[in-house]
Amino acid sequence: MSQLTRRRALGATATVVAGLVLTGFARTAGASSEPRTADPKPNAGHEGHAGHAGHEGPQPFSETYRGRRIEGAPSHGDGHHGGYAVQIDGEELHVMQNADSTWVSVINHYETFATPRAVARAAVIELQGSELVPLT
């Protein structure tokens, strides 16, 4: 009959912990690869292709969010912006469209969003009342 030693118990514990950690990382990686979106089924199936709403790019917006004025509209400036300009209280928020059609900003550069409006709202939250300093 084999005897349980401290070395074997620690080895078994380390193996179990490593397996749980790897499983947690796999679940986290799978969940974070999808862009955030308010509508889980935008243009589901493209029934009839009426309007082609998902193919023409983000719509302009102008609203007050948490006391800050956010605006966004298509632009004809630099191509690396994705052809879209976003402003917070009149100052430009540098936004970029990724290859997978998600959006990022200089404020939330490692977090992707489904629309420029969502990027602007996340930047307002992240700024916590601070002024947006333009990039020069």
Side-chain angles (χ1 to χ4, degrees):
M1 186 184 230
S2 70
Q3 200 171 8
L4 183 61
T5 64
R6 191 178 310 166
R7 179 176 287 176
R8 285 186 179 177
L10 285 173
T13 302
T15 302
V16 169
V17 169
L20 290 174
V21 168
L22 291 176
T23 302
F25 282 136
R27 286 185 182 174
T28 302
S32 65
S33 65
E34 295 297 321
R36 287 196 217 174
T37 175
D39 184 10
K41 296 180 185 177
N43 301 324
H46 298 279
E47 285 81 11
H49 295 274
H52 293 278
H55 301 289
E56 61 199 29
Q59 297 298 314
F61 65 91
S62 179
E63 67 180 44
T64 300
Y65 181 73
R66 294 192 177 196
R68 309 288 292 268
R69 188 77 189 153
I70 59 173
E71 299 173 304
S75 71
H76 301 290
D78 293 338
H80 70 277
H81 285 88
Y84 205 86
V86 174
Q87 294 185 339
I88 298 177
D89 295 333
E91 296 292 334
E92 182 183 7
L93 173 67
H94 186 84
V95 297
M96 296 170 287
Q97 187 173 22
N98 296 323
D100 64 353
S101 296
T102 59
W103 293 81
V104 296
S105 75
V106 294
I107 304 294
N108 301 86
H109 199 75
Y110 296 104
E111 189 173 3
T112 59
F113 298 90
T115 64
R117 181 188 308 245
V119 170
R121 288 178 174 176
V124 166
I125 293 168
E126 193 69 30
L127 286 169
Q128 300 178 3
S130 299
E131 293 296 317
L132 180 64
V133 179
L135 293 175
T136 55

